[in-house]
Amino acid sequence: MGNKSSLMLQEQDIRDIQAETGFLPSQIERLYSRFTSLDKGDNGSLSREDFLRIPELAINPLGDRIVHAFFKESEDDRVNFCQFVRVLAHFRPIKRTQDNKLNAREEKLRFAFKMYDLDDDERISREELLAVLHMMVGENISDEQLNSIAERTILEADRDGDQMISFEEFCTALERTDVEQKMSIKFLK
Amino acid sequence: HGGKLERYPVAVIDFERVQTPFIIGLWIFCACLGKIGFHMAPKLSHIFPESCMLIVLGVFIGLLLFYTNAASVSPLTADVFFLYMLPPIILDAGYFMPNRLFFDHLGTILVFAVVGTIWNCLTIGISMYAVNLTGLFGVDVPMLHMFLFAALISAVDPVAVLAVFEEIHVEEVLYILVFGESLLNDGVTVVLYHMFEAFGEIGEENVQVVDILSGIASFLLVCLGGVAIGIIWGFLTAFVTRFTNQVRVIEPIFVFVMSYLAYLNAEIFHFITFCGITMKNYVEQNISTKSHTTIKYAMKMLASSSETIIFMFLGVSTVQYHHDWNTWFVVMTILFCSVYRTLGTLIFSSICNRFRVKKISFTDKFVISYGGLRGAVAFALVLTINSHHIPFQPMFLTATIAMVLLHRVCCRWTRGLLSGVWGITIKPLVQMLGVKRAEKRTLTMNERLHERSMDYIMAGIEDLMGKHGNFMLRDKFKRFNNKYITPFLVREQNIFEPKILETYSQIKMQEAMENMSNS
């Protein structure tokens, strides 16, 4: 936490972000210093290139989509600190005592759902599913096999027979999964 | 030849020649009969734990042998235990260990296994020695001998833990915490044991700081060396199975023999092993489904038989050895073991909770401290004590047996409590405790796929945060594995998410089976 970061982040901002996201002030400061270190151009916001400069993220099969999730909220091609923190707040662990709508189970699931739903129609189609499968499984597998896996997945979740998975169906399919734990990380204080 | 010419005999009695294998065979036969008989009497199995029955059966047989002087086969020696009885159980546990779960909670497991065992050993040793100074025991046990005893009694035993936890199906996280601990703390116990044994021989006055430092160094060597040996043999096994596609029948033998060799290799240096964990994934991709089934059942059978035999041996040995009953010593041992186990669990789990996403709840702590059962490992270790060097060995032995037997009885209680077999009276208690039970399940395609993508999301977020967390490490290992290890160890061409395909074919297989039985 250098001087620079605390200079640019006002007390008031911290309090606002804290109220919205539930992060502690120390966590916000830490996130801010990470934000500034990612911000190579020093203009207070991140571009796609700034994100993809992280080597592991660039080779993550879902890397593009994760980065894309950050840009959903902003109109232009930059992400400011508030937007940055708001997305990250989805991954805060859920505590029984303090409730925050950003890290609720449903929000976590929605984030995962959006990884598939590229065209934002609130439905996962077979093509969208196939695209993700392709990214994760790699080349050494036949299209036929991937196709049948995608079909099977839809068949399993689809309740209303439209050959797509809606968000509700997605949630039902993952009823038994411990999403609270699987999609949470400890943010350093 | 004189007057009497020996004609060809109609029958000869040559029992000596077959004595040892025959008696061993009888052992196993008796143990299995006992087991069947036990399960045929439903009322009995509600009152007694199975292991209790086996011990009682063992005591009977022991008495029989003792009074008839029939056989000279010495019951349970430490070598028999460590070389033949323990490996199947450890292998079974390691091979079917849920890897993912294990590594997710590795930090907590290590804290419990390493720090927790050292804590148990030191606190029990110090307290017992303090009581000893007051003269309550009526004998004067030297400090280092007391620590030796503390070292062997402080280990949680995988055999005992498995026997109980398999049956009650507690929630998987809870299961892996206690079970992982019991598997890993063997190393710590054995090192502590050998250290105090050696210190005892050097003599209290002559132990220097250097010796303690070498003790610590040897501890690190044992643990890391054991892991390394396990990993190397595991990879070797996987590599060998790459070439067995022409001779399917020897696939199971490779898995068994090579993991046994790994175990022996590790035992030469008193090492522990990690073999099963590392080979499983690769071996499973190489071998045929039939071989896989064979491995699975053979492993289960070996493990459960040797568990059965161990408990019976415990009973026989109870009769066959010299005892020295010291009431206060036994009472204090049991008291300190329970108190420090509970205290340690409370302290270490609250430390771990600071770093965990999913906290260890109060009921979890209760089950963990309760699940710390002592068993055959402590018993085998107390048998290896040389009573010439340590004159109080009979007293230690008696206390250990008392402790193990008491734990058997407690097992029953816990088991009854958690599984609710004691009927309506217990149910409110279970609900009050709120112990979560595991649901046996095969993943659906949706679960497998979306959980994988969640892993990628989390790895991405951790990279973004610049945080070296679990997801990121796993992601890194996976990439390394896919690039360098898998192509080397697996015959089939390399795909990135074998689990997704596996789940798919599993589901398809199940459906096909159902169709078959329906039509």
Side-chain angles (χ1 to χ4, degrees), chain B residues 31-302:
Chain B
C32 295
L33 270 191
K35 220 170 168 165
I36 297 178
F38 184 74
H39 282 286
M40 279 167 74
K43 271 196 183 148
L44 210 63
S45 62
H46 278 228
I47 307 162
F48 279 119
E50 193 186 277
S51 46
C52 231
M53 180 277 299
L54 289 170
I55 292 174
V56 171
L57 188 67
V59 169
F60 270 119
I61 294 177
L63 283 173
L64 216 72
L65 292 178
F66 190 69
Y67 284 113
T68 55
N69 287 328
S72 53
V73 174
S74 81
L76 179 62
T77 64
D79 269 354
V80 169
F81 177 77
F82 280 112
L83 297 186
Y84 305 113
M85 311 264 84
L86 195 57
I89 298 173
I90 302 260
L91 177 66
D92 175 59
Y95 195 84
F96 293 105
M97 170 96 78
N99 282 0
R100 171 73 191 267
L101 210 56
F102 180 73
F103 285 109
D104 273 353
H105 301 278
L106 188 61
T108 314
I109 291 171
L110 278 178
V111 169
F112 277 122
V114 178
V115 191
T117 306
I118 294 174
W119 150 273
N120 275 341
C121 174
L122 292 184
T123 48
I124 293 173
I126 291 170
S127 313
M128 289 295 279
Y129 186 62
V131 174
N132 180 50
L133 287 181
T134 65
L136 187 64
F137 298 149
V139 286
D140 189 27
V141 185
M143 185 170 74
L144 283 171
H145 294 182
M146 203 58 111
F147 272 110
L148 183 70
F149 176 66
L152 69 91
I153 203 82
S154 60
V156 174
D157 178 15
V159 186
V161 170
L162 261 182
V164 180
F165 275 58
E166 284 272 275
E167 206 162 307
I168 54 178
H169 295 303
V170 290
E171 193 208 3
E172 51 180 19
V173 175
L174 195 54
Y175 172 80
I176 204 76
L177 286 184
V178 181
F179 179 50
E181 177 197 350
S182 71
L183 260 190
L184 295 190
N185 68 8
D186 265 16
V188 186
T189 318
V190 171
V191 177
L192 286 175
Y193 177 82
H194 285 296
M195 203 163 84
F196 286 121
E197 197 181 31
F199 284 178
E201 276 165 27
I202 298 173
E204 236 166 83
E205 317 80 43
N206 306 327
V207 175
Q208 289 173 345
V209 185
V210 181
D211 296 319
I212 295 173
L213 286 181
S214 355
I216 296 170
S218 112
F219 168 73
L220 290 177
L221 188 72
V222 166
C223 296
L224 298 179
V227 172
I229 286 183
I231 291 175
I232 290 169
W233 277 98
F235 282 161
L236 270 179
T237 316
F239 183 69
V240 171
T241 56
R242 211 189 133 150
F243 305 102
T244 55
N245 51 337
Q246 300 300 321
V247 263
R248 291 291 193 192
V249 279
I250 57 168
E251 276 169 351
I253 221 60
F254 270 126
V255 172
F256 286 110
V257 165
M258 291 186 75
S259 17
Y260 190 55
L261 282 176
Y263 181 84
L264 293 181
N265 195 344
E267 276 288 301
I268 298 173
F269 314 98
H270 297 295
F271 279 171
I272 50 164
T273 149
F274 243 62
C275 189
I277 298 181
T278 46
M279 71 166 110
K280 181 175 62 181
N281 275 336
Y282 312 105
V283 169
E284 271 180 11
Q285 289 182 55
N286 279 332
I287 64 177
S288 69
T289 355
K290 277 182 185 165
S291 302
H292 178 68
T293 314
T294 311
I295 291 174
K296 187 172 154 189
Y297 284 103
M299 228 178 242
K300 289 270 172 241
M301 183 201 71
L302 283 177

Side-chain angles (χ1 to χ4, degrees), chain A residues 31 34 51 56 59-60 70 88 91 116 136-137 140 148 152-153 156 176-178 182 186, chain B residues 354 358 441 444-447 450-451 453 456 458 463-465 467 479 494-496 504 511:
Chain A
L31 288 176
R34 177 68 184 168
F51 279 101
E56 285 89 0
I59 49 172
N60 189 322
F70 283 86
L88 290 177
F91 303 104
Y116 298 92
M136 293 207 309
V137 181
N140 286 344
S148 43
R152 167 81 214 184
T153 312
E156 219 177 63
R176 295 188 300 179
T177 304
D178 190 358
K182 277 207 161 37
K186 276 294 252 207
Chain B
R354 299 179 67 107
K358 190 175 189 177
R441 60 172 202 179
T444 64
M445 210 52 237
N446 272 281
E447 282 168 339
H450 303 322
E451 282 176 17
S453 67
Y456 280 118
M458 297 317 292
D463 292 328
L464 199 65
M465 305 300 312
K467 179 180 185 286
R479 216 168 290 128
N494 182 25
I495 50 168
F496 262 55
Y504 180 69
E511 275 180 1

